[in-house]
Amino acid sequence: MRAARLIKMVLLLQSRPSMTAAELARELEVSERTVTRDAQALSEAGVPVYAERGRAGGYRLVGGYRTRLTGLARGEAEALFLSGVPGALREMGLEDAASAARLKVSAALLPSLRDASRTAAQRFHLDAPNWFREPETPALLPAVADAVWDDRRVAARYLRGGEEVVRELEPYGLVLKAGVWYLCARAADAGSFRVYRIDRFTSVDPGEERFTRDEDFDLPAFWAERAEQFARSILRAEVTVRLSPEGARVLPHVVGAVPAEESLAAAPDPGPDGWLTVTLPVESEEVAHSHLTALGAEVEVLAPEALRARMASAARRLGGMYGV
């Protein structure tokens, strides 16, 4: 533990002109007294750490000293590629590895480039969760993430339809979608790839056995295909509506891009008033009512009759509320 701390201290001093004892103590998560002892130990080992006293003093390396201890470990290199998503790193338990990797890269850069990490952080930040939703990190996410990195087969218990099922899984990849974590894994018994919500796992037991990863597996392509399949699978009903030009413009934002764009493309030419008649796939009449109500007077439901009646009833209540 102390050896790792001493290396980190050298890398910190190599990446900056000088640092105070308080700054080093904060970065190393130790006391200032420990910083003093560590600086003395480095000096005795031949590392030219120089202590400047006074208000503007601190520690620095003398004579342009450069350490060769900048090689990235595998875990650090992998974490570095995720360093633009600090929240995800923290939830997967990779924050320390990413911090070490960034520090090693910073130490290896020319002095004129050492502010690159700061300037990048000032210009880009990823906030993955939806608005008005406080995401909860699944308790088992770090264990699942470890298994993904190690290509280690796991025995998992998973809630499906209110029942707990047991699966032997080969965990291939993690996806963070709108604040929800998913695991893309191959079921050992079925041999097919499936998607699991990590917050529905009740236990994850990594074994000693590692699996051989299918090199043809493409995580982004697999997720895109499954996401589209899911979006289509829930559209089990159809409604026929008339849309004003404004309603047609807003429709993708209300019901989703895929069903809206396909329905609009298949619609016949608009009438003399510019309105389109569209057959729209929907999840259910209840969901369709919720979505189409948001379009207000820019939509008229033609079928089914039950949904048209619901829309008319809502319109009458709204008119009565405003004295129309």
Side-chain angles (χ1 to χ4, degrees), residues 19 35 97 101 105 113 181 189 316:
M19 296 183 69
V35 168
V105 170
L113 299 177
W181 284 96
D189 56 344
R316 286 192 296 271

Side-chain angles (χ1 to χ4, degrees), residues 59-71:
Y59 292 92
R60 63 182 177 87
L61 293 175
V62 179
Y65 177 85
R66 306 285 296 176
T67 176
R68 296 182 180 273
L69 298 172
T70 53

Side-chain angles (χ1 to χ4, degrees), residues 33 61 91 142 166 168 185 231 269-270 276 284 294:
R33 180 169 296 184
L61 293 175
E91 293 176 9
V166 180
E168 291 285 334
D269 292 338
L276 283 169
S284 65

